[in-house]
Amino acid sequence: MERARQLLGDVLIGITLVIVAGGAYLGSHYAITDDVVSYSGTYGPLQGVEMSAAYESVLTANFEVPGGLLVRQVHDQYGTVLLVGLVIWAVIGRFRYALPAFALALVASFSGMQLREGNGPVPLWFAGHIGATLAMATIMVVSSWREAKERPISIGYVGGVLGLLVAAGLF
C-alpha cells in the first residue's frame, strides 16, 4: 500500500505540472484587469456586447489563439482528475498531506472559475489562484520527497509513473 500511495502522489505531481503548464499558456493570453470593454473578437453573437476585459481575453484565447480551447479543456479536465486523485490519496493513507492539498486545490479551482468568468476583483482572484496552486504543489513535492527517502524509487517505478500519466491523459 505504501508503494501505491507513493506512486499516486508522484502521478498527482505530474498532473499538477500539466495543469501549471496549461495555466501558464492560458495566463499569457489573459488580461488581469477589471476594465469594461466592448467585445470585438471573432465570435459573432457577442459582437459589441459590454464585458470585462478579463472575460474578453478568455474568449479570445478560446476562439483565436491556436490550441487555446484545447489547452483550456485539458487544464480543466486535469484539474478535476487532480481533485479526485487527492481524495483517493487521502483515503489510502496520505491524509496528512492530501487534505491541505485538497483544500488548496478547491481554492485554486474556485478562483480559476472566477477568473474565467471575469468576476472582480480580477487581480485578487489571479493572485489567489497562483498562490493556492503553488502552495498545493509545494505540499505534494515535500510529501513525495519524504516518501522517497523512506522508499527509494527504481526504473520500473518511474516507468509506472509515466504510464499512469499517459493513462490519466487518455482519461
Side-chain angles (χ1 to χ4, degrees):
M1 187 60 92
E2 289 88 16
R3 190 56 99 176
R5 183 178 60 222
Q6 184 179 11
L7 182 66
L8 180 59
D10 290 343
V11 167
L12 292 175
I13 290 171
I15 289 171
T16 303
L17 291 175
V18 171
I19 292 170
V20 168
Y25 182 75
L26 293 171
S28 68
H29 300 287
Y30 188 74
I32 308 170
T33 180
D34 289 326
D35 297 340
V36 176
V37 297
S38 179
Y39 182 71
S40 60
T42 59
Y43 187 63
L46 291 178
Q47 290 290 334
V49 173
E50 296 286 318
M51 61 182 64
S52 69
Y55 186 60
E56 183 191 32
S57 69
V58 169
L59 292 173
T60 301
N62 284 349
F63 298 123
E64 298 174 26
V65 173
L69 187 58
L70 176 65
V71 172
R72 178 166 311 288
Q73 289 173 341
V74 168
H75 185 74
D76 291 346
Q77 292 297 326
Y78 268 54
T80 303
V81 170
L82 178 68
L83 287 171
V84 171
L86 286 170
V87 169
I88 294 169
W89 200 38
V91 168
I92 63 174
R94 207 62 180 164
F95 51 86
R96 178 179 175 193
Y97 295 100
L99 294 180
F102 182 76
L104 289 165
L106 286 177
V107 169
S109 179
F110 181 75
S111 59
M113 285 187 261
Q114 299 304 311
L115 288 172
R116 181 179 15 195
E117 299 300 322
N119 296 334
V122 172
L124 182 63
W125 288 121
F126 191 78
H129 189 66
I130 299 297
T133 301
L134 292 177
M136 177 197 60
T138 301
I139 289 171
M140 292 169 54
V141 167
V142 166
S143 172
S144 179
W145 280 342
R146 289 184 178 169
E147 282 199 288
K149 276 186 190 177
E150 296 171 18
R151 285 173 239 51
I153 61 175
S154 64
I155 297 297
Y157 175 82
V158 172
V161 169
L162 293 175
L164 286 174
L165 281 174
V166 169
L170 297 175
F171 174 64

